[in-house]
Amino acid sequence: VQLQASGGGSVQAGGSLKLSCAFSGRTFSSYAMGWFRRAPGKERDFVATISGGGTSCLADSVKGRFTISRDNIKNTVYLQMNSLNPEDTAIYYCAAERRPSYSSSYSVDPATFGYWGQGTQVTVSS
């Protein structure tokens, strides 16, 4: 499995960004996809996850502002980030976890994700 994240950048508080993660190498629908982030000096945190069947979960800190979605034809997972604030500044990583095809199940534990992208930097200025 190969994951290629893109879409990061620098925005002002209140702005929006949309991250994309292109998946290749296996059957996309057989993987739950997650987004995690690591802020400077902090641990890696869960942000959002979506199952192969489209069931999703968001961290409390981003609910109402971020949306995760996937396109099982384009083999891509997206993270739409609105109302960004400086606390969202981090390197964002996409990850993939093997699950039954089109499963509704997912995990929020990064230890269960076996494949990781290279990360994309998001910087939010006040």
Side-chain angles (χ1 to χ4, degrees):
V1 170
Q2 292 82 43
L3 302 173
Q4 182 68 44
S6 61
S10 297
V11 297
Q12 290 192 326
S16 298
L17 283 173
K18 185 174 185 177
L19 306 183
S20 300
C21 178
F23 173 105
S24 62
R26 291 289 187 270
T27 303
F28 186 52
S29 60
S30 295
Y31 288 80
M33 300 298 296
W35 287 98
F36 297 81
R37 66 187 180 186
R38 187 190 297 273
K42 295 187 177 181
E43 298 292 321
R44 181 174 52 187
D45 286 336
F46 164 74
V47 177
T49 188
I50 187 166
S51 72
T55 304
S56 63
C57 178
L58 295 166
D60 288 344
S61 60
V62 305
K63 282 180 180 176
R65 301 188 298 123
F66 291 12
T67 303
I68 187 170
S69 61
R70 65 188 292 157
D71 186 329
N72 284 347
I73 301 299
K74 295 182 178 179
N75 291 353
T76 302
V77 62
Y78 304 97
L79 185 68
Q80 176 67 48
M81 305 185 295
N82 299 327
S83 301
L84 285 161
N85 59 62
E87 290 69 38
D88 296 316
T89 294
I91 300 175
Y92 284 70
Y93 299 91
C94 64
E97 179 201 25
R98 183 72 171 86
R99 291 271 173 171
S101 186
Y102 293 105
S103 169
S104 61
S105 63
Y106 55 77
S107 170
V108 302
D109 181 358
T112 67
F113 287 77
Y115 304 95
W116 292 81
Q118 82 286 6
T120 184
Q121 177 71 48
V122 171
T123 302
V124 185
S125 58
S126 57

